[in-house]
Amino acid sequence: MPNPPRLRVAALTATALLLSCALAGCGGDSHDEDLTAQELSWKDCQAPSRAEGGGEAPSPLPGGAEWQCATLKAPRDWAKPKGDTIDLALIRAKTSGPEDRRIGSLVFNFGGPGGSGVTTLPAFGTDYANLRTRYDLVSFDPRGVGRSAPVECLSDPQLDYYFEQDWSPDDAAERTALLNNTKEFNAACEDNSKKMLPHVRTTDAARDMDLMRQVLGDDKLYYFGISYGTELGGVYAHLFPKHVGRAVFDAVVDPTQNSEQGSLGQAEGFQLALDNFAEDCTSKTEDCPVGDTAQDVKDRIAKLLADLDRKPIPGIGQRMLTQTAATNGIAQSLYSKDFWEYLVEGLQQAYDGDGRILMLLSDSLNGRSENGEYSNITAANIAINCADDKPRYTAADVERRLPEFRAASPLFGDFLAWSMVSCTDWAVPGAADHPDVSAAGAAPILVVGNTGDPATPYEGARKMVEALGPGVGVELTYKGQGHGAYGSKNSCVQKAVDGYLLNGRVPAAGTVCS
């Protein structure tokens, strides 16, 4: 699951703020029962909610197996476990194998933070068919996401305007507008979701997963975390090392970095992916339609973005393709090598004055559906990051660091540098500089790094292994492109991951797949 870079734009004045269940946190009454003893009522899944991204109810798996959904009650505030509860949305596909071969439930988190597991698992369910031979496949909307007490900030029309704004200010007036609009966005989140904002930290989600483990009936948590899901898995392993079963981390977040270092790392990662795209396009036997050399490809993209900064072009309907939307669209296309052909098409169109494809890619990154409704991935992403990350940066901080960000990426540097002010006026203090994932005594965790990953650079895998501690993290390297490794369908990676999850075979540390 993509971990969206916060190539964010400024918010408009919040005038018609949403009144939703998020105002009260979608919570229940206080309780006295033991939540670990609750029984889940699995039923046919409904169509995804607006906050989950909308669409149709999940289709049956090959062979006719139906997806089932349930809700899990969890404390809103884990410091007050007998207080108000919230409902967490779960989804599962029961194992396809014989019951006597079943290991347990394999819980997935696909990243973000802010991604809906209830919608993502069915979308990629066939990719995990082999794992389903011995596990029930399970995922969930983490707290603050989708159907699980979602954080809400701006309305759909306001979000359209929000994503049109300039996130790479060129002068004092644009910088002031960016800071004011960010402050107004954050105020909207507080107005609409005040009761949930202090309780969406990754530590809260990790405690939810341990409750989930118990209610699902497993002595250990069997886990597959992707992108931000690796951070969540690392925090779980730190809090509950003795409860870690077989676990895989793919597309690994560097747990040693603060938010500034993480943004700089993403700038380097997306620039590397852009370099690889340009080299790939121009190295083929046929002519590359968007440049004669790799540098020419990048120069033409830079010129397009500069032109869009001065004058946007038609996008979809009445919406114009701005510099920010085009940058978002380019970033989205770099998450997977499978998307590179769409980037070529989108650039060709944009050079001819048509921004539709780049706008579609940008909408995908931002969680906008064709009917103009947004999932809550942006609101949840910001809320979780700001609750987790202690640093708060000023415009002066950003301006001091701009040269370093621009050196890391001429294209993405400004956007990712200015994303550092996202939490400056946030209502809830951040928890720490970076997560603690030390997990002495935990079972082996397979940590898979991709050398061409734009969103979670390869170096994060080694840092995660070191931070988990001796005898816990086992590193596997995939020499490939795109975000993550298992989803690339590389047979070497899938054999190693499946061998561990299905049969407990830990690959040799330092294994390399290409």
Side-chain angles (χ1 to χ4, degrees), residues 304 313-317 319-321 325-333 339-351 353-365:
L304 170 68
I313 60 176
I316 298 173
R319 293 186 301 143
M320 304 293 285
L321 182 75
T327 305
N328 277 333
I330 293 167
Q332 174 72 334
S333 69
F339 294 170
W340 287 4
E341 61 181 291
Y342 303 123
L343 178 54
V344 170
E345 267 190 88
L347 290 172
Q348 286 180 284
Q349 278 193 0
Y351 295 148
D354 181 348
R356 282 178 296 175
I357 290 179
L358 289 183
M359 180 70 84
L360 283 170
L361 288 164
S362 179
D363 286 348
S364 174
L365 184 74

Side-chain angles (χ1 to χ4, degrees), residues 78 142-143 196-208 228 231-232 235 383-389 392 426 428-432:
W78 273 102
R143 55 175 57 219
M196 276 307 297
L197 295 186
H199 307 301
V200 295
R201 294 188 170 100
T202 298
T203 50
D204 297 315
R207 295 185 186 283
D208 292 340
Y228 162 79
E231 179 178 328
L232 174 58
V235 169
I384 295 167
N385 282 331
C386 293
D388 277 347
D389 297 337
R392 298 293 188 251
W426 197 250
V428 175

Side-chain angles (χ1 to χ4, degrees), residues 254-264 389 391 393 432-435:
D254 185 340
T256 68
Q257 293 182 332
N258 61 27
S259 50
E260 176 186 337
Q261 293 164 335
S263 293
L264 184 61
D389 297 337
Y393 301 103
D433 287 331
H434 55 80

Side-chain angles (χ1 to χ4, degrees), residues 8-18 152-155 158-159 161-162 165 167 175-193 197 379 382 421-427:
R8 289 184 38 216
V9 290
L12 81 161
T13 304
T15 55
L17 300 176
L18 290 170
E152 297 285 1
C153 299
L154 299 176
S155 68
Q158 289 173 325
L159 283 169
Y161 188 80
Y162 172 84
Q165 302 310 296
W167 201 255
R175 287 193 291 275
T176 299
L178 182 154
L179 295 171
N180 288 341
N181 290 331
T182 302
K183 183 181 296 186
E184 289 160 2
F185 178 93
N186 293 354
C189 300
E190 183 180 11
D191 286 345
N192 287 319
S193 302
L197 295 186
I382 295 168
V421 301
S422 300
C423 300
T424 300
D425 300 297
W426 197 250

Side-chain angles (χ1 to χ4, degrees), residues 304-321:
L304 170 68
L305 295 178
D307 290 344
L308 291 173
D309 194 27
R310 293 187 292 269
K311 185 179 180 181
I313 60 176
I316 298 173
Q318 299 300 310
R319 293 186 301 143
M320 304 293 285
L321 182 75

Side-chain angles (χ1 to χ4, degrees), residues 83-275:
D84 289 352
T85 61
I86 56 174
D87 288 340
L88 303 178
L90 275 63
I91 191 168
R92 77 173 180 185
K94 296 193 73 174
T95 180
S96 60
E99 187 62 27
D100 63 356
R101 293 274 295 160
R102 179 182 178 274
I103 296 171
S105 294
L106 181 62
V107 177
F108 288 79
N109 181 281
F110 295 94
S116 165
V118 172
T119 58
T120 305
L121 181 58
F124 294 94
T126 56
D127 292 351
Y128 305 106
N130 199 33
L131 298 174
R132 191 170 152 250
T133 60
R134 299 199 67 189
Y135 291 99
D136 296 344
L137 304 184
V138 176
S139 194
F140 63 108
D141 290 351
R143 55 175 57 219
V145 176
R147 255 186 237 276
S148 298
V151 172
E152 297 285 1
C153 299
L154 299 176
S155 68
D156 292 331
Q158 289 173 325
L159 283 169
D160 273 345
Y161 188 80
Y162 172 84
F163 285 117
E164 290 175 1
Q165 302 310 296
D166 190 341
W167 201 255
S168 58
D170 301 312
D171 55 39
E174 289 185 355
R175 287 193 291 275
T176 299
L178 182 154
L179 295 171
N180 288 341
N181 290 331
T182 302
K183 183 181 296 186
E184 289 160 2
F185 178 93
N186 293 354
C189 300
E190 183 180 11
D191 286 345
N192 287 319
S193 302
K194 186 173 184 178
K195 289 189 176 181
M196 276 307 297
L197 295 186
H199 307 301
V200 295
R201 294 188 170 100
T202 298
T203 50
D204 297 315
R207 295 185 186 283
D208 292 340
M209 287 205 303
D210 201 58
L211 174 62
M212 193 182 309
R213 171 191 66 79
Q214 295 172 77
V215 173
L216 289 170
D218 289 335
D219 292 333
K220 303 284 187 179
L221 178 73
Y222 305 101
Y223 182 72
F224 199 135
I226 303 165
S227 196
Y228 162 79
T230 67
E231 179 178 328
L232 174 58
V235 169
Y236 179 91
H238 172 70
L239 294 175
F240 306 103
K242 299 300 184 183
H243 295 167
V244 175
R246 299 171 190 173
V248 173
F249 295 174
D250 185 8
V252 187
V253 171
D254 185 340
T256 68
Q257 293 182 332
N258 61 27
S259 50
E260 176 186 337
Q261 293 164 335
S263 293
L264 184 61
Q266 279 201 332
E268 294 168 346
F270 276 95
Q271 187 63 44
L272 174 63
L274 183 67
D275 293 345

Side-chain angles (χ1 to χ4, degrees), residues 418-482:
W418 283 105
S419 74
M420 289 162 52
V421 301
S422 300
C423 300
T424 300
D425 300 297
W426 197 250
V428 175
D433 287 331
H434 55 80
D436 191 344
V437 300
S438 58
I445 296 172
L446 182 56
V447 179
V448 187
N450 180 353
T451 58
D453 197 313
T456 51
Y458 169 66
E459 293 76 16
R462 177 62 55 83
K463 295 293 183 63
M464 177 66 79
V465 167
E466 293 171 353
L468 288 169
V472 180
V474 178
E475 185 175 8
L476 183 149
T477 295
Y478 170 52
K479 292 185 175 181
Q481 302 296 330

